[in-house]
Amino acid sequence: MKPKHIKKLLLSEITTTTQNMLDYVVNSKVDFTRNRKLPFEKIVRAIIEMESKSITNEMIDIFHDVSSLPSASAFVQQRQKIKPEFFRDIFKGFTNKLQNHSHSDLTILAVDGSDIQIPTNSEDKKSYYPSVNGQKPYNLLHLNALYNLENHLYTDVVLQGKHDANEHSALQEMVDRSPIPKALVIADRGYESYHSMAHIQEKGWYYLIRIKDGTRGIKNGLDLPDEEEFDVNIDLKLTRKQTKEMKELFLKDKNHYKLIAHSHPFDYLPTKLRKKDSVAFYELKFRIVRFKITEDTYETVITNLDAKEYTPTNLKKLYAARWGIETSFRDLKYTIGMLDFHSKKVMCIQQEIYAHLIMYNFAEMITSHVIIEKKQRKYTYKANFTVAAHVCRLFLREKTTSPNLETIIARNIIPVRPNRHRKRILTGKVFHSFLYRVA
């Protein structure tokens, strides 16, 4: 896909969605009924194109004509009239246009979540954490994401306040509404759940989930070999019914019968049961695979992939690919600018989160189609995404042409070193104050 075509897809999605703008404004009788310097579509594009600068500097970059330059106050007032759902729908529509949903190809998706620190706002109870032991109060949102590891695109997201965050329900929601016909979901520990596995199975998808390797979680409830490495098939029947016969089976045949407590959500079994009701089962067929990672460490995964086609070695490589979503979070926050917001209101912050996701997909799609010349080098090279994202913004603002865009991206490359390892340094994250923004 050429950069011009990708840009055309985004602009057409904005224009098409704008035709229904009355569905996305706070007050449909008043909002955007008068002619102003910042009409609806103009302010939408401004939010999508914004970087990490102050609002005034952002306006200077976007509006070339000084006579039409709006004030920061005018921008703030206008943006507060738009619901974040508008940007969410542009993100979904644009992303769907970028993907080719083939019924034969297996789309490989990674799921994960990431916390986003936002300006401190004590009125937002869903995300506010008060001061404890001298620590400053703060607010957190939780971003749940499905990420296409092959196309490097975010396919769907669910935003939650940190206090209400539930990664299991977010995954189930994204799986149920996805238009992708055939996919493999790769997930880290924390996503192991019979309920999530059932949702993926009902969708006709596959899953590869790393599970806890100790005495807790799914592994602990099954009879597995006392060996360092194994690959075991499990045919499990889940039920909520506790008859005398079932209780005996739960104890004697753990690999075939499992009780799901009434307090645990499970959409495919009845919640309320009477004594006279017959036993209802939901069947899950999967493999538990344990393999070596290093000389003295092992990991355990659960999957419904075919054992002949996907050996433990193949599963190990597949799971390693999940790291792509981790690096995408880094690019989303530090390169695209999801750490620097231009408002303290949650509604406006949600606008910018969806806008950053749109810009990430826009830049990644263009970058992935730029041809990098192969030479006799020690390493394989790829485009520098930091440079690429910046020039893609210029391209969207009509400040550079498609040939120049591709030339700049092709010239700014970095080596790919897949086997590099370094100790992760954990540092406290803080909100970047409005007063300390890049020029």
Side-chain angles (χ1 to χ4, degrees):
M1 234 185 267
K2 291 291 184 180
K4 284 185 178 180
H5 181 59
I6 298 171
K7 180 179 177 180
K8 184 179 179 180
L9 288 177
L10 176 56
L11 296 181
S12 67
E13 187 64 32
I14 294 172
T15 302
T16 302
T17 313
T18 300
Q19 293 174 359
N20 301 315
M21 72 174 187
L22 293 181
D23 297 333
Y24 298 101
V25 295
V26 176
N27 188 340
S28 59
K29 295 181 180 180
V30 178
D31 295 339
F32 296 99
T33 56
R34 297 169 54 191
N35 292 327
R36 295 179 180 271
K37 289 182 179 180
L38 279 171
F40 188 90
E41 189 166 341
K42 188 69 175 179
I43 197 169
V44 165
R45 286 196 56 176
I47 293 172
I48 292 174
E49 295 169 9
M50 281 198 305
E51 300 178 73
S52 300
K53 304 176 183 179
S54 66
I55 293 177
T56 300
N57 285 346
E58 298 281 8
M59 294 298 101
I60 293 172
D61 286 347
I62 294 169
F63 291 87
H64 311 297
D65 184 7
V66 177
S67 62
S68 64
L69 181 67
S71 65
S73 176
F75 171 81
V76 171
Q77 291 178 54
Q78 288 292 85
R79 73 173 300 182
Q80 290 176 355
K81 300 174 183 178
I82 306 174
K83 297 177 182 178
E85 286 77 13
F86 180 83
F87 295 89
R88 180 201 63 192
D89 289 353
I90 291 177
F91 161 70
K92 289 183 178 180
F94 176 56
T95 302
N96 285 335
K97 289 179 179 178
L98 294 178
Q99 299 182 103
N100 180 21
H101 300 315
S102 171
H103 287 267
S104 58
D105 296 335
L106 182 67
T107 303
I108 302 177
L109 304 171
V111 61
D112 209 345
S114 182
D115 290 338
I116 303 172
Q117 185 161 352
I118 62 176
T120 304
N121 180 2
S122 60
E123 295 180 0
D124 182 27
K125 302 303 180 184
K126 293 182 179 180
S127 65
Y128 179 69
Y129 286 81
S131 175
V132 178
N133 298 327
Q135 183 184 20
K136 292 183 179 180
Y138 59 94
N139 287 65
L140 287 180
L141 293 180
H142 192 70
L143 176 70
N144 303 275
L146 267 182
Y147 184 77
N148 189 318
L149 292 169
E150 296 171 304
N151 294 337
H152 307 290
L153 299 175
Y154 285 98
T155 63
D156 199 0
V157 297
V158 173
L159 283 176
Q160 299 169 326
K162 183 61 176 177
H163 287 299
D164 298 335
N166 186 323
E167 292 187 328
H168 293 293
S169 65
L171 170 59
Q172 293 154 22
E173 180 183 341
M174 291 187 289
V175 167
D176 290 348
R177 70 189 183 196
S178 175
I180 301 173
K182 187 179 178 182
L184 164 66
V185 177
I186 305 177
D188 200 0
R189 289 178 303 186
Y191 283 93
E192 61 175 281
S193 159
Y194 289 127
H195 194 196
S196 294
M197 291 160 61
H199 272 266
I200 297 172
Q201 178 175 280
E202 288 296 313
K203 186 74 174 180
W205 287 7
Y206 301 93
Y207 51 81
L208 175 60
I209 305 172
R210 179 186 175 195
I211 62 176
K212 297 179 180 68
D213 199 40
T215 58
R216 302 175 64 184
I218 289 177
K219 183 181 175 182
N220 186 50
L222 301 170
D223 286 328
L224 299 172
D226 188 16
E227 301 172 2
E228 291 182 338
E229 294 184 277
F230 54 78
D231 187 346
V232 179
N233 290 316
I234 304 291
D235 188 349
L236 199 60
K237 293 180 175 64
L238 309 176
T239 183
R240 293 193 189 274
K241 194 78 170 177
Q242 290 195 72
T243 63
K244 183 178 179 180
E245 294 78 10
M246 290 307 305
K247 288 180 180 179
E248 292 179 359
L249 289 171
F250 295 149
L251 292 174
K252 295 179 181 179
D253 199 353
K254 294 182 179 180
N255 286 4
H256 289 92
Y257 296 95
K258 177 71 177 179
L259 174 68
I260 301 295
H262 290 275
S263 58
H264 293 173
F266 197 88
D267 296 336
Y268 308 104
L269 287 173
T271 304
K272 297 181 180 180
L273 292 171
R274 296 172 295 179
K275 287 185 177 180
K276 64 179 182 180
D277 292 338
S278 59
V279 181
F281 293 107
Y282 183 85
E283 190 172 5
L284 275 175
K285 292 184 179 181
F286 54 86
R287 298 158 57 198
I288 299 281
V289 186
R290 193 171 193 260
F291 45 73
K292 180 181 285 190
I293 297 295
T294 64
E295 287 298 322
D296 56 352
T297 59
Y298 295 81
E299 292 295 350
T300 306
V301 297
I302 190 168
T303 182
N304 60 344
L305 290 168
D306 181 70
K308 293 181 180 178
E309 187 175 355
Y310 295 92
T311 64
T313 301
N314 292 336
L315 294 179
K316 181 179 176 180
K317 292 178 180 178
L318 263 178
Y319 182 78
R322 190 204 65 86
W323 191 250
I325 193 173
E326 301 283 1
T327 57
S328 76
F329 283 144
R330 179 195 63 199
D331 290 335
L332 188 61
K333 291 181 177 181
Y334 294 95
T335 301
I336 301 299
M338 195 177 275
L339 294 178
D340 302 308
F341 299 104
H342 299 82
S343 176
K344 289 188 175 182
K345 292 190 175 182
V346 175
M347 184 186 79
C348 295
I349 291 170
Q350 290 176 343
Q351 289 177 354
E352 293 190 41
I353 290 175
Y354 287 118
H356 288 317
L357 288 163
I358 294 167
M359 181 53 66
Y360 177 92
N361 282 358
F362 177 75
E364 269 289 1
M365 199 63 181
I366 289 177
T367 305
S368 66
H369 285 80
V370 174
I371 298 173
I372 305 298
E373 185 180 354
K374 293 184 178 180
K375 296 181 179 179
Q376 291 288 338
R377 297 181 173 126
K378 181 179 180 180
Y379 298 105
T380 301
Y381 277 71
K382 66 176 182 179
N384 185 327
F385 187 67
T386 301
V387 175
H390 175 69
V391 73
C392 283
R393 270 198 175 101
L394 296 180
F395 178 60
L396 189 57
R397 291 175 177 174
E398 312 266 348
K399 289 188 175 181
T400 189
T401 62
S402 179
N404 289 342
L405 165 74
E406 296 185 64
T407 300
I408 294 171
I409 294 175
R411 285 181 178 177
N412 290 273
I413 54 178
I414 55 176
V416 179
R417 300 184 178 99
N419 296 319
R420 295 185 81 192
H421 297 279
R422 62 165 66 94
K423 185 177 179 181
R424 182 186 291 188
I425 301 174
L426 299 178
T427 58
K429 301 295 187 295
V430 297
F431 169 70
H432 294 181
S433 169
F434 297 136
L435 298 178
Y436 297 95
R437 293 295 171 87
V438 295

